[in-house]
Amino acid sequence: PLITGYLLTGILAGPEALGLIPERSIRSLRFIDELSLSVIAISAGRKLYLPKMHGRWRTIGWVMMGLIVFEYVCSKVYTCKIE
């Protein structure tokens, strides 16, 4: 719930929803963006219990590889449509 709250707050504060942060200010807030993502990643990482995940490393690897391939294919299809 905490991570979801962080993400929803960012979406709502942005120019697409409530407009509390104007679109022209987003580029200058890039450092805050990176810092916020770091906090979210650390918060998610604290909940991982590595010994419990020991038997799942192979599955995690396959899922990660599948996501990488999927994103690569999607970006190639998107860039081909643009050209």
Side-chain angles (χ1 to χ4, degrees):
L2 185 63
I3 295 171
T4 306
Y6 289 150
L7 293 172
L8 288 176
T9 301
I11 292 169
L12 288 176
E16 290 83 17
L18 298 177
L20 298 175
I21 302 172
E23 193 165 344
R24 65 181 181 279
S25 299
I26 290 177
R27 286 191 189 98
S28 64
L29 294 173
R30 186 71 179 161
F31 175 75
I32 301 296
D33 180 36
E34 297 294 331
L35 185 64
S36 301
L37 287 174
S38 300
V39 170
I40 291 170
I42 290 170
S43 297
R46 283 190 318 193
K47 297 182 188 277
L48 294 177
Y49 184 63
L50 294 179
K52 189 175 181 180
M53 294 175 58
H54 180 70
R56 300 179 183 164
W57 287 115
R58 185 172 300 216
T59 304
I60 292 169
W62 281 111
V63 168
M64 286 176 51
M65 185 60 70
L67 288 171
I68 290 169
V69 169
F70 176 75
E71 289 184 22
Y72 177 77
V73 169
C74 286
S75 68
K76 286 296 183 183
V77 168
Y78 180 73
T79 55
C80 287
K81 285 185 178 182
I82 290 177
E83 295 173 357

